[in-house]
């Protein structure tokens, strides 16, 4: 009986060593390659050539007739975002870093869920770290309503070294016509005039900007 036990111990040791080597290899391999290209400034921002070059660089064409609304702090930002979501007819695309449970989180979940039940395609991308304070029941309720919810880069043993590779984008696009982008996350701490709980300094204002166009962009 000693010989089988010895072989079992050897097998367990080999398996453990293989797992350790695999863990180290997957987490310490070189990071993704970065392509850096310095773009030389050739045109003034007011010239037609500048807009044409930006269209080529960004992909979608730059269209005239846009207007941009500046929104400061939660008292202006959240009502405008919620009104846009509730008025969506075709699509809602939403990405954010911070999404916490609370009155604001519930209001957004309700609005997104209602639109999904009405047949609007609703896509939500939440950062796994930034949304740690969201209740699983809130996520389940949105998914049950038909909202496509995806968590960006959840912790996994084979990507442990890349845990800090997060998405800090805050984007909301309604029907390809109305957009929101800026620095505010979805949390009650940011719902008032100005809050310091998530700000770099006390009284630091948060801004969102809402570009709008009469045609899909």
């Amino acid at each position: 009986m000693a010989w089988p036990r010895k072989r079992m111990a050897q097998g367990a040791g080999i398996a453990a060593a293989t797992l350790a080597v695999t863990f180290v290899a997957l987490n310490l391999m070189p990071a993704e390659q970065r392509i850096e290209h310095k773009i030389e400034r050739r045109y003034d921002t007011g010239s037609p050539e500048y807009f044409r070059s930006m269209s080529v660089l960004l992909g979608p064409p730059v269209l005239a007739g846009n207007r941009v609304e500046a929104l400061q702090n939660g008292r202006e930002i959240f009502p405008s975002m919620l009104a846009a979501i509730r008025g969506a007819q075709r699509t809602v695309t939403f990405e954010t870093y911070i999404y916490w449970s609370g009155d604001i989180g519930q209001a957004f979940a309700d609005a997104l869920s209602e639109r999904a039940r009405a047949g609007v395609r609703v896509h939500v991308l939440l950062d796994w770290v930034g949304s740690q304070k969201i209740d699983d029941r809130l996520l389940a309720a949105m998914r049950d309503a038909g909202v496509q919810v995806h968590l960006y880069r959840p912790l996994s043993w084979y990507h442990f070294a890349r845990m800090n590779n997060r998405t800090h984008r805050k984007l909301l696009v309604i029907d390809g016509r109305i957009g929101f982008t800026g620095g505010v996350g979805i949390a009650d701490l940011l719902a008032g005039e100005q809050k310091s709980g998530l700000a770099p300094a006390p009284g630091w204002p948060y801004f969102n900007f809402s570009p709008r166009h009469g045609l899909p962009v």
Side-chain angles (χ1 to χ4, degrees):
M1 298 296 295
W3 176 248
R5 283 197 295 268
K6 182 177 181 181
R7 295 191 61 180
M8 289 177 60
Q10 290 176 340
I14 293 173
T18 301
L19 288 174
V21 170
T22 303
F23 177 83
V24 171
L26 290 174
N27 284 283
L28 296 183
M29 64 176 55
E32 296 90 346
Q33 293 183 353
R34 296 182 179 181
I35 300 176
E36 296 183 0
H37 177 68
K38 184 178 180 180
I39 301 176
E40 297 181 2
R41 180 177 177 179
R42 298 181 178 180
Y43 311 112
D44 184 80
T45 54
S47 68
E49 291 83 2
Y50 172 79
F51 288 101
R52 284 197 293 268
S53 63
M54 289 299 292
S55 295
V56 173
L57 179 64
L58 299 177
V62 178
L63 303 177
N66 296 292
R67 62 184 179 89
V68 178
E69 181 181 0
L71 305 168
Q72 182 173 344
N73 295 317
R75 68 177 181 84
E76 295 181 358
I77 295 170
F78 293 141
S80 185
M81 293 176 71
L82 288 168
I85 293 172
R86 291 165 182 151
Q89 299 298 312
R90 297 184 294 108
T91 60
V92 176
T93 304
F94 183 40
E95 178 179 359
T96 189
Y97 176 71
I98 288 177
Y99 194 127
W100 294 354
S101 291
D103 293 339
I104 296 300
Q106 188 66 57
F108 272 83
D110 291 344
L112 294 166
S113 298
E114 188 278 328
R115 286 292 80 197
R117 285 192 294 267
V120 176
R121 297 193 303 274
V122 182
H123 309 279
V124 175
L125 178 62
L126 307 177
D127 186 85
W128 181 80
V129 171
S131 61
Q132 283 296 295
K133 292 186 179 182
I134 190 172
D135 194 314
D136 289 340
R137 290 175 294 182
L138 206 63
L139 294 174
M142 285 193 285
R143 289 185 172 122
D144 290 343
V147 179
Q148 294 186 10
V149 181
H150 181 74
L151 298 180
Y152 180 82
R153 283 194 179 274
L155 180 63
S156 58
W157 66 272
Y158 52 88
H159 279 159
F160 188 78
R162 302 178 188 178
M163 181 178 176
N164 200 39
N165 188 346
R166 314 309 324 159
T167 175
H168 286 271
R169 300 184 187 94
K170 292 93 174 175
L171 302 170
L172 174 65
V173 180
I174 308 295
D175 294 334
R177 298 172 184 264
I178 302 174
F180 294 85
T181 186
V184 74
I186 308 304
D188 287 350
L189 281 174
L190 301 170
E193 174 64 26
Q194 55 186 13
K195 299 292 184 179
S196 60
L198 295 174
W204 185 281
Y206 279 91
F207 285 94
N208 264 30
F209 298 91
S210 177
R212 299 165 185 250
H213 196 277
L215 298 173
V217 294

